[in-house]
Amino acid sequence: MTAMVKSEAVHKSFGPVEVLRGIDLEVQAGDVFCIVGPSGSGKSTFLRCINHLEKVNAGRLYVDGTLVGYREKNGKLYELRDREVAAQRRDIGMVFQRFNLFPHMTAAENVMEAPLQVKRESKAAARKRAVALLERVGLADKTDNYPAQLSGGQQQRVAIARALAMEPKLMLFDEPTSALDPELVGEVLDVMRDLARDGMTMIVVTHEMGFAREVGDSLVFMDEGIVVESGTPRDVLGNPQHDRTKSFLSKVL
């Protein structure tokens, strides 16, 4: 069975700073794959490499069996054109720490934008799907509200609906609750739980260890650009093997 995401010896540097130092991992279709670790360990950079928002310096990343960002010819990699990269990204939804909503558009218009522009859907079809997705994330009564009229948790739920509007096969979450007030975290995690129950493949960079333990199928602990430890969330969080993992978890659990 082809893994939904496969990372082979992925390296990424920013100038002299090596942020990813040979990441090898696989994410199976339908799994919730959690990545935890201290700030600066390379978690978010790795996530951005999966949809080629960052270009890898070495190694290969595959999504659903397709090489991301490059084509290979005679053992050499050639970067794809922007248009080809954009086509690959259609299948990958991404939710950021900051909600990145268009402030001049309503919740429904934010969700409609990509299907209208990228898929050339009719306005009626895009609106119908946007309303259904906003209902799915618990915002049926907020379709015509602007971002400034919504709480942070509501804005993040709009951002999730927007990512789902392209019907992705993979969802990437980059610390989706870290910018939220504590009492708003639960409403976003509830939406993510529903997605997991529906079988969406998800990679979640998170500090929410309870969510990782409850919903995650696999978990890796990253530090200084490498995968230090991996396994089921219960094993890694409950019985860490490496001193570095133990030290980190002692501060966050």
Side-chain angles (χ1 to χ4, degrees):
M1 189 174 78
T2 303
M4 180 59 80
V5 177
K6 186 172 187 183
S7 173
E8 297 178 346
V10 166
H11 287 255
K12 172 66 184 176
S13 298
F14 295 105
V17 180
E18 206 175 5
V19 180
L20 299 175
R21 300 187 294 148
I23 301 290
D24 291 295
L25 54 80
E26 287 192 10
V27 180
Q28 302 307 321
D31 274 6
V32 178
F33 190 96
C34 296
I35 304 177
V36 303
S39 295
S41 57
K43 310 182 300 292
S44 295
T45 299
F46 177 66
L47 216 58
R48 292 170 67 84
C49 288
I50 293 173
N51 63 2
H52 207 59
L53 286 174
E54 298 289 355
K55 302 171 186 181
V56 302
N57 297 115
R60 288 163 171 69
L61 270 165
Y62 299 88
V63 171
D64 204 16
T66 301
L67 185 63
V68 172
Y70 301 89
R71 67 176 180 279
E72 193 166 352
K73 193 174 177 187
N74 302 327
K76 284 187 75 173
L77 294 182
Y78 299 88
E79 191 167 7
L80 298 178
R81 295 188 185 94
D82 289 349
R83 193 182 69 232
E84 296 168 304
V85 173
Q88 288 186 338
R89 279 198 197 120
R90 289 183 195 183
D91 291 331
I92 306 171
M94 185 147 185
V95 178
F96 300 88
Q97 291 180 37
R98 301 281 165 197
F99 325 119
N100 296 353
L101 299 177
F102 295 114
H104 61 288
M105 293 183 179
T106 64
E109 287 166 347
N110 266 284
V111 177
M112 291 164 62
E113 182 68 3
L116 287 174
Q117 300 299 332
V118 180
K119 287 189 167 180
R120 300 280 184 243
E121 273 188 9
S122 73
K123 208 161 188 175
R127 170 88 190 179
K128 186 178 178 183
R129 169 145 355 99
V131 169
L133 285 169
L134 288 168
E135 188 173 341
R136 183 177 179 185
V137 299
L139 294 173
D141 58 337
K142 303 293 184 188
T143 51
D144 297 318
N145 287 44
Y146 290 90
Q149 300 169 310
L150 302 174
S151 71
Q154 290 169 336
Q155 289 185 61
Q156 192 60 295
R157 286 186 279 155
V158 174
I160 293 172
R162 178 181 60 182
L164 292 172
M166 291 296 285
E167 302 179 309
K169 55 177 113 171
L170 170 67
M171 285 282 282
L172 308 176
F173 291 88
D174 187 8
E175 299 190 19
T177 59
S178 66
L180 300 179
D181 292 333
E183 69 267 23
L184 301 178
V185 167
E187 62 192 47
V188 173
L189 294 181
D190 283 345
V191 170
M192 294 168 67
R193 283 188 190 93
D194 284 343
L195 288 178
R197 276 195 288 271
D198 290 348
M200 174 62 76
T201 310
M202 296 156 59
I203 302 180
V204 185
V205 171
T206 186
H207 294 297
E208 302 290 339
M209 300 301 162
F211 172 83
R213 187 184 279 120
E214 174 198 347
V215 181
D217 296 291
S218 306
L219 182 143
V220 299
F221 169 67
M222 278 180 67
D223 190 30
E224 296 184 347
I226 61 170
V227 173
V228 176
E229 192 161 346
S230 61
T232 66
R234 191 166 280 122
D235 286 346
V236 178
L237 298 177
N239 187 26
Q241 301 300 304
H242 291 259
D243 288 342
R244 186 67 193 90
T245 318
K246 291 174 186 171
S247 168
F248 173 75
L249 292 175
S250 72
K251 296 182 180 74
V252 298
L253 287 180

